Amino acid sequence: MELTPLLQKAINRAAELHREHTRKFSHLPYIVHPFSLAVILSEYTDDDAIIASGLLHDVVEDVQNYELENVQEEFGPEVAKIVRGVTEIKHSSDEKKEKLSWKERKNSYITNLKQASEG
């Protein structure tokens, strides 16, 4: 994998945004997960937008006040589109923003993937 400016920026931003997060069961720093995904993706593609999206794929779900609009502003529409396609919706869209059940989240995720892959 070539360390392009986009990838360096995504590495830095993902590390910054996940700096307080740990993995649920191992308690390792959370950044281990997106870094591992980026390495796996780099074995299949040299498209830095795809690899950068792997690094950033959980920031919208896990970082308070960091939205898809932020991804688009910082990394462009292509990265934002890929991140949107793999983002799991965790709360209802109504005003109460109630947490969805595991099954509701997974069904919503599958629907989102189908729609994202069409474009």
Side-chain angles (χ1 to χ4, degrees), residues 58-74:
D58 279 337
V59 295
V60 174
E61 294 176 27
D62 297 340
V63 178
Q64 193 171 18
N65 300 320
Y66 195 83
E67 307 291 335
L68 276 171
E69 293 79 20
N70 301 106
V71 175
Q72 182 159 334
E73 287 172 16
E74 290 188 59

Side-chain angles (χ1 to χ4, degrees), residues 2 12 25-26 31 37 43 55 91-93 95 97 101 106:
E2 180 183 344
N12 293 346
F25 300 109
S26 68
I31 197 64
L37 178 57
E43 292 177 7
L55 287 160
H91 295 88
S92 64
S93 58
E95 290 179 16
K97 297 285 185 191
S101 70
K106 299 311 171 189

Side-chain angles (χ1 to χ4, degrees), residues 11-25:
I11 288 168
N12 293 346
R13 194 65 167 130
E16 176 187 354
L17 291 170
H18 287 299
R19 72 183 171 277
E20 301 294 326
H21 304 153
T22 57
R23 299 289 287 164
K24 275 185 189 174
F25 300 109

